[in-house]
Amino acid sequence: MLRYARQLPLIGEEGQARLRSSLVAVVGAGGIGSPLSLYLASAGVNLRIIDGDSVSFNNLHRQILYGEEDIGLPKALVAERELRRRNSEIYVEGITERLTEENAPRLLRGVDLVMDASDNFSTRYIINDFCVRNDIPFVYSAINGFYFAISFIIPGKTACLRCIFPKVEDSGPVPVIGMTPALVASIAAAEAVKYIAGLGTSLAGKLLIGDLKDVEFTHISVSKSKNCPVCSR
């Protein structure tokens, strides 16, 4: 327990035991997924990293798991290597596949929590629909430039992602500065650790929106939609 001595006063030994017995899926090992995975691994959480992409040079300004020597290598496998190197006490599995409707039952099987660290709504809707159908909580995180949004979605209790964003069309890569995904990843990791450790969650039923350019943050309460094609069923 020496590794976790500074967090034990906050979550207790029971909370730490819950972290140690949990399995969290991180979908996307990019700008958000890199710092998010680092913080969860450091806290003692077992991880399944899902990403079908490879490291490229233009990733490096924000995807802090990787170095120049990793260019061309699968992100999921480099992430697995780096996270194991930082904490040999946890289980880490890197999966070099992109999440789809077809493989979601296999890739998300047996997890306690899903972290959406993807960069597109097509993947986010797959996460949402699978998690709602299978009663798995998940954390939605998104960035665009200096802006970010995050919510903790608990099936059956809170609005799902399709309630909040009924139909969003992806428009390709968005601009981003490296600090924005780092901040949203820190908040998402805190929400995950609190939830798993039994301390509750602050963003269930809320959408937190932040702007790092003007340093402004706001909460929006979100409610379930009676016409939602997913969670209203």
Side-chain angles (χ1 to χ4, degrees):
M1 286 291 191
L2 182 59
R3 177 190 293 270
Y4 310 111
R6 296 288 290 271
Q7 72 184 31
L8 281 173
L10 302 174
I11 66 174
E13 291 190 8
E14 181 180 347
Q16 189 64 53
R18 291 184 179 186
L19 296 185
R20 184 66 186 90
S21 63
S22 68
L23 178 60
V24 173
V26 179
V27 181
I32 297 174
S34 288
L36 173 58
S37 298
L38 281 168
Y39 277 120
L40 292 178
S42 298
V45 177
N46 301 304
L47 296 173
R48 182 179 295 161
I49 311 296
I50 303 168
D51 195 304
D53 199 7
S54 298
V55 180
S56 60
F57 195 66
N58 65 2
N59 296 153
L60 301 183
H61 85 287
R62 67 195 184 282
Q63 299 184 18
I64 58 174
L65 267 176
Y66 316 118
E68 293 180 1
E69 68 280 5
D70 299 317
I71 292 173
L73 299 178
K75 289 181 182 179
L77 298 186
V78 178
E80 178 184 310
R81 180 196 73 201
E82 290 301 304
L83 297 172
R84 285 180 172 176
R85 186 171 67 85
R86 286 165 168 80
N87 189 348
S88 61
E89 299 176 358
I90 63 169
Y91 169 83
V92 184
E93 177 186 13
I95 297 178
T96 57
E97 297 181 52
R98 180 181 180 134
L99 188 75
T100 65
E101 291 182 1
E102 290 72 27
N103 66 22
R106 173 171 53 88
L107 299 188
L108 300 180
R109 180 181 64 244
V111 302
D112 301 294
L113 179 66
V114 176
M115 309 300 291
D116 165 29
S118 63
D119 61 358
N120 63 88
F121 268 88
S122 296
T123 301
R124 292 181 183 122
Y125 286 142
I126 292 171
I127 295 170
N128 178 81
D129 297 358
F130 178 84
C131 287
V132 169
R133 288 196 303 267
N134 292 276
D135 198 27
I136 302 172
F138 74 98
V139 178
Y140 154 74
S141 304
I143 55 173
N144 190 332
F146 287 94
Y147 301 91
F148 71 85
I150 181 172
S151 185
F152 198 114
I153 296 172
I154 304 176
K157 294 184 179 180
T158 70
C160 79
L161 192 63
R162 289 189 185 268
C163 294
I164 304 171
F165 303 107
K167 187 176 182 181
V168 177
E169 299 290 341
D170 292 314
S171 57
V174 299
V176 62
I177 191 163
M179 292 71 73
T180 308
L183 178 58
V184 73
S186 295
I187 297 172
E191 289 290 287
V193 168
K194 289 187 300 180
Y195 175 80
I196 296 169
L199 303 180
T201 174
S202 303
L203 291 177
K206 301 176 184 176
L207 181 67
L208 174 63
I209 301 172
D211 170 13
L212 286 186
K213 190 171 184 180
D214 295 321
V215 195
E216 296 178 345
F217 304 88
T218 185
H219 280 109
I220 300 174
S221 295
V222 289
S223 302
K224 298 179 68 172
S225 170
K226 292 185 293 184
N227 300 317
C228 177
V230 179
C231 71
S232 65
R233 298 177 182 176

